[in-house]
Amino acid sequence: PIPCVPCLLRLMMHMRNPGMFTDWDDDYYSNYYTKNVCFSGCPLNSHCEWGFCECNAGSTRKYGRCVDNWSAQSLPARPSSFDPFKACTDSSTCMSVDMNLICNTNLTMQGTGKCQCRNDMKWNKESGECQIFMDVDCSAITYETKPSEVILTAVEKAKAEMEQNLLGEVVPLGRTESANESLSNSLLTKMDTKSATDAELTEAFCRDIDSFSFEMQPPKAEPLIDERPSKSCSVVPRSACAIAYDSHDCTGGWKLVIPQGQLRFRWFTSYWSYRNDMDTVGIRAGCTLILYSDSSYNGNSVRIDSYATNDRWVVLGDTAGYQHMEEDVESLQCVCRN
């Protein structure tokens, strides 16, 4: 919902002075922004929010892509010299770099296009992704800056509306807010476009953005703790549920990548060599591994829950409560919650 605020300022400024923005596109605002539609759609693990692609719940935005928490913290930074504006024939090429890069086929004469950020966005070299951009300087407006009379009037209007709409506990909508819902507390919506000056509209915008500043701060990343017994142990693949070794430090013998589901290490099967030979397991963040001493998911068993945002490693023979399962695993079940 936050992007509506800068887009609203552009709209109000455009209404006052149609020639103010040379890049104003009525067709785009009518067919995409106001209809909550994204040009060329959004890639996997993301969805459209008022013309911009945002990450789905459970994934983290990093360098314009939606990834899991581990990948977000381990992705190498993009250098400031990184050039995202590649040649393209469709937006899928661009979205593999950034979900808000689209292919503009009007930039060349050779039938191919060039990647560019969506309307109202620009490439931020420091963060290595497309971000919402407004060419507005708010540095002169702070908490200590005395508000203008027009702003004070807008604040009183906002307070009155909030009191009328205060009906009790706010219930999550479970959907994208409408434009009116997301802008309901914006000072800009309380301004009279015809009578307010450009400076007063800008002040309203800056105070709106300031009120959102806390919410817009990137969340502090939870530290990743590397529990691997040694560097010889591979990081659990993001596509797997767990990984197992037949040595305490992963330096010798076999390695088994465990998918979600069930495995039985029965005689005369391709898995028989793993039977009663497991020493170390690593479980992907958000997953649970259950080990059994018999081949039909019975006998002695242990359940090992990983952490919500961190992989968990256990050396069976060295960990209290799991020692009886060292080299005594004949079947297992593994499931992930994300």
Side-chain angles (χ1 to χ4, degrees):
I2 301 300
C4 294
V5 176
C7 293
L8 177 61
L9 177 63
R10 279 176 60 91
L11 175 61
M12 296 175 81
M13 291 291 197
H14 171 73
M15 291 171 63
R16 288 174 53 80
N17 183 4
M20 184 173 188
F21 299 111
T22 58
D23 62 343
W24 182 265
D25 188 340
D26 274 321
D27 179 70
Y28 174 80
Y29 282 93
S30 299
N31 294 299
Y32 295 100
Y33 171 68
T34 59
K35 294 182 179 179
N36 196 21
V37 174
C38 286
F39 179 81
S40 293
C42 292
L44 188 68
N45 296 326
S46 64
H47 62 281
C48 186
E49 293 274 355
W50 306 110
F52 309 98
C53 291
E54 296 290 345
C55 292
N56 291 343
S59 59
T60 301
R61 176 172 173 166
K62 192 65 175 288
Y63 306 129
R65 290 171 286 180
C66 301
V67 296
D68 58 78
N69 185 60
W70 180 282
S71 299
Q73 298 187 52
S74 58
L75 277 176
R78 285 173 169 166
S80 59
S81 59
F82 180 82
D83 181 13
F85 308 120
K86 310 293 184 183
C88 59
T89 55
D90 60 64
S91 290
S92 61
T93 302
C94 308
M95 289 184 188
S96 65
V97 177
D98 187 302
M99 60 185 166
N100 284 306
L101 277 173
I102 56 175
C103 187
N104 188 341
T105 55
N106 297 322
L107 297 179
T108 66
M109 301 294 292
Q110 291 77 30
T112 59
K114 200 171 185 179
C115 297
Q116 68 172 39
C117 293
R118 298 181 186 276
N119 283 36
D120 295 330
M121 303 188 91
K122 280 194 175 182
W123 184 260
N124 186 325
K125 290 183 179 181
E126 291 185 7
S127 54
E129 64 179 13
C130 292
Q131 293 186 346
I132 296 170
F133 176 80
M134 282 296 296
D135 190 13
V136 178
D137 184 2
C138 292
S139 60
I141 299 173
T142 67
Y143 282 114
E144 288 73 33
T145 306
K146 183 179 179 180
S148 65
E149 290 299 321
V150 174
I151 294 297
L152 290 175
T153 301
V155 169
E156 292 304 317
K157 288 182 180 178
K159 285 182 178 179
E161 291 181 11
M162 289 177 67
E163 290 174 358
Q164 291 177 0
N165 296 329
L166 191 60
L167 300 178
E169 182 181 359
V170 176
V171 179
L173 293 172
R175 59 169 171 79
T176 299
E177 292 179 320
S178 69
N180 288 336
E181 289 168 341
S182 64
L183 291 169
S184 60
N185 295 326
S186 167
L187 290 178
L188 276 173
T189 61
K190 312 302 183 286
M191 304 288 285
D192 186 340
T193 307
K194 295 181 180 179
S195 61
T197 65
D198 288 353
E200 289 167 340
L201 291 176
T202 299
E203 181 183 352
F205 167 77
C206 292
R207 294 192 183 279
D208 272 347
I209 294 301
D210 189 49
S211 68
F212 290 130
S213 60
F214 180 78
E215 296 180 38
M216 296 175 71
Q217 290 296 320
K220 292 184 178 179
E222 296 183 29
L224 292 178
I225 302 172
D226 191 353
E227 291 190 344
R228 290 179 296 167
S230 77
K231 299 301 181 183
S232 297
C233 303
S234 301
V235 173
V236 182
R238 299 300 94 188
S239 58
C241 184
I243 194 169
Y245 290 86
D246 74 340
S247 64
H248 71 283
D249 59 1
C250 312
T251 57
W254 51 259
K255 176 179 79 172
L256 174 64
V257 176
I258 301 170
Q260 286 200 66
Q262 303 181 139
L263 289 178
R264 295 201 287 178
F265 308 137
R266 307 182 73 180
W267 295 109
F268 311 114
T269 69
S270 58
Y271 286 104
W272 75 270
S273 60
Y274 305 110
R275 183 184 180 94
N276 296 327
D277 201 23
M278 189 177 297
D279 289 290
T280 301
V281 293
I283 304 98
R284 180 165 67 84
C287 300
T288 296
L289 177 67
I290 304 176
L291 306 176
Y292 299 91
S293 62
D294 287 340
S295 59
S296 296
Y297 315 110
N298 59 339
N300 293 325
S301 65
V302 292
R303 170 181 173 140
I304 308 175
D305 293 308
S306 190
Y307 310 112
T309 59
N310 210 88
D311 295 349
R312 183 179 181 186
W313 284 82
V314 174
V315 179
L316 297 174
D318 295 343
T319 310
Y322 303 134
Q323 293 171 333
H324 64 290
M325 297 301 295
E326 181 184 20
E327 298 190 343
D328 191 24
V329 177
E330 296 187 6
S331 60
L332 62 81
Q333 296 171 323
C334 200
V335 62
C336 296
R337 297 177 293 280
N338 52 28

